[in-house]
Structure formats: structure tokens, C-alpha cells
Amino acid sequence: YVSRTHAKLTIEGGAVYIENLSSTNFTYVNNKKIVAKTELKNEDELGLGGTNINGKCQSEAAYFLGRIE
């Protein structure tokens, strides 16, 4: 579900952004599929290749809890 070039993280003006690069298994921030470059906030949950369904994370996906300082 997660490709080698799945998403791109960038820092612009002190803010951290994530951008989806996958055309099949998408990138999610706080369980919402992103369609454009999205600014990350402290403790956002990132899902690469999957979502949280009924409180369960998909086992083939990668999940991260972001810490922005």
C-alpha cells in the first residue's frame, strides 16, 4: 500500500507540508484524504496508503503521529 515515493514533506516559511505523490493508495491527514499540499499541525496523524476504519488501522498501511516544533 505504501510506495517508495508515496508522499513529499517540505518546509516553507517555518511550516511543514505534506503532498501526496501516489496515484493508487493515497495519503491521509487525520483520516481525510489530501488532494493538495497540506500544512501539518502538531500531533496530526498521517496515513500512507490507508485509513482508519471503525477505529482500526489497515495493516498494510503506514501511520505516523507528527510532532511539529
Side-chain angles (χ1 to χ4, degrees):
Y1 285 22
V2 182
S3 65
R4 286 185 278 170
T5 56
H6 197 97
K8 178 180 175 181
L9 292 170
T10 56
I11 299 173
E12 298 175 18
V16 179
Y17 294 87
I18 190 165
E19 185 176 357
N20 179 62
L21 301 178
S22 177
S23 60
T24 54
N25 296 310
F26 302 99
T27 301
Y28 300 83
V29 175
N30 299 323
N31 215 35
K32 295 179 183 168
K33 183 169 79 171
I34 62 170
V35 294
K37 184 168 32 174
T38 302
E39 184 177 357
L40 296 175
K41 305 291 186 213
N42 195 36
E43 297 191 11
D44 277 347
E45 181 183 73
L46 308 179
L48 304 180
T51 61
N52 183 319
I53 301 171
N54 296 323
K56 293 186 178 184
C57 296
Q58 294 174 297
S59 62
E60 296 85 1
Y63 297 90
F64 305 92
L65 186 59
R67 183 172 173 175
I68 310 296
E69 292 185 359

